[in-house]
Amino acid sequence: MIVRELDQQKLEGFVTRILDDLGAAMIAPLVRIGDELGFYAALAESGPVTPQELARRTGTVERLVREWLSAHAAAGYLDYDATTKRFAMNPEQAMVFGNPESPVYMLGSFEVCQAVMLDQPKVSKAFRNGGAAGYHERCSCLFSGMSRFFGVSYKAHLVQEWLPALDGVIEKLNNGARVADIGCGHGISTILMTKAFERSRFFGVDNHEDSIACARDAAKRDGVAARTEFDVATAKNFVGGNFDLICCFDALHDLGDPVGAAGRILEALAPDGTFMAVEPRAGDRLEDNINPVGRLYYAGSTMICTPVSLAQEVGLALGGQAGPARLEAVLREAGFGRVRIAAETPFNIVLEARR
């Protein structure tokens, strides 16, 4: 066995990297506390504050608030003025933490992090017991967190970029189309489209009952319940047909049988209908994905996507970094004759599939 001589500089660099990662992991629950207790909203409204002032504004304990603020300053998540002893949220930090309409709002991401930590024992068990850890046994904050996390991209890109990138779809939507959203979760994508296209009718489908209940409530709150319908069903047994557009947002790779689901989608499309599959951005090879986005998505795939797929029939387990070639192969196996990448963002690829 050949043992390479230890490179002390590399070791120190790696330990520094691990310390940075541990700091990030330790502050994640503090971010969730700030989200739940309204600290970020208060900071966005107030300007520079002392711990006492933030505690008073939020009805919380000053001593704990002081530690929370200090941790955020040490992490670079907030600014600290040593002269005035005040903490503040600069404009860039506010885009990430303080503005829910920002295209880089990240609080939903931390909610997903909380969920995977809570579900970690279940996934550990899955490693030794067939690999399955389905959505039916996951904590509820996973679903709300994913809705918030994905919703940031959908708000920024769905109506403005993704739908216009599809051949002829905007005209159909403006004239009045039938649209199905498969794996709709809490319905944010469905509702965004419903608001944008008043002549069209939208149908959301998900096999998670609590998510469908949330989607129905959200449609009522947003005043679009008359043009939306949400049902509990799987991607292979949803009812209806002659859809002009069927969408699947960040869900195709989670399915146990994505080929079977895509086949059912093809069957449910109108003769000139379009299937839009929005998927996590990835290259086709591991070496293409060794980057910050790949790091995040492979971790999510290990904790969520892959064990969820293995809990279903077939259990193809595409994973969250399947890549466009593998996804295209799935769609073509299902019977689609034309498949192309219609749009891309740093976090997503948009596949358009037609007969």
Side-chain angles (χ1 to χ4, degrees), residues 110-325:
F110 285 91
E111 191 170 1
V112 174
C113 289
Q114 178 186 25
V116 298
M117 288 300 292
L118 290 171
D119 286 337
Q120 173 263 314
K122 298 171 185 174
V123 179
S124 292
K125 184 178 178 181
F127 268 79
R128 295 185 180 274
N129 294 280
Y135 277 134
H136 63 282
E137 55 185 310
R138 298 305 185 96
C139 68
S140 59
C141 62
L142 175 61
F143 305 98
S144 55
M146 288 195 300
S147 178
R148 296 172 78 195
F149 171 68
F150 290 126
V152 171
S153 289
Y154 302 163
K155 289 177 183 178
H157 301 290
L158 173 53
V159 174
Q160 302 91 322
E161 299 170 21
W162 295 347
L163 291 172
L166 306 176
D167 290 337
V169 166
I170 289 293
E171 183 179 359
K172 292 179 182 178
L173 290 168
N174 285 329
N175 290 335
R178 284 172 50 82
V179 182
D181 187 355
I182 309 302
C184 67
H186 285 201
I188 186 167
S189 50
T190 321
I191 292 169
L192 284 169
M193 291 187 290
T194 308
K195 287 181 175 179
F197 303 101
E198 296 182 354
R199 294 184 178 181
S200 294
R201 184 164 181 83
F202 296 84
F203 303 82
V205 171
D206 202 286
N207 67 349
H208 188 249
E209 291 188 18
D210 289 346
S211 290
I212 288 296
C214 288
R216 289 169 177 160
D217 289 342
K220 291 177 184 176
R221 286 196 307 271
D222 288 358
V224 296
R227 293 188 295 111
T228 58
E229 183 177 323
F230 291 100
D231 292 313
V232 178
T234 72
K236 290 174 65 174
N237 71 8
F238 67 91
V239 299
N242 201 37
F243 290 105
D244 300 290
L245 174 67
I246 298 180
C247 309
C248 194
F249 293 94
D250 289 291
L252 186 67
H253 66 275
D254 285 344
L255 302 177
D257 184 11
V259 176
R264 167 66 187 121
I265 288 167
L266 179 61
E267 178 185 77
L269 281 172
D272 62 343
T274 301
F275 175 40
M276 177 174 71
V278 177
E279 283 287 299
R281 181 166 185 156
D284 292 318
R285 305 173 301 167
L286 171 59
E287 52 266 38
D288 298 329
N289 303 322
I290 299 178
N291 53 54
V293 174
R295 178 193 188 197
L296 177 66
Y297 281 166
Y298 275 123
S301 184
T302 305
M303 294 300 298
I304 306 170
C305 313
T306 304
V308 161
S309 177
L310 290 170
Q312 303 169 57
E313 61 175 344
V314 180
L316 188 61
L318 285 174
Q321 294 283 268

Side-chain angles (χ1 to χ4, degrees), residues 14-37:
F14 187 56
V15 170
T16 299
R17 164 67 185 276
I18 295 300
L19 287 172
D20 190 48
D21 287 353
L22 285 172
M26 288 294 288
I27 204 169
L30 275 68
V31 174
R32 291 292 298 128
I33 288 170
D35 187 10
E36 291 178 0
L37 298 182

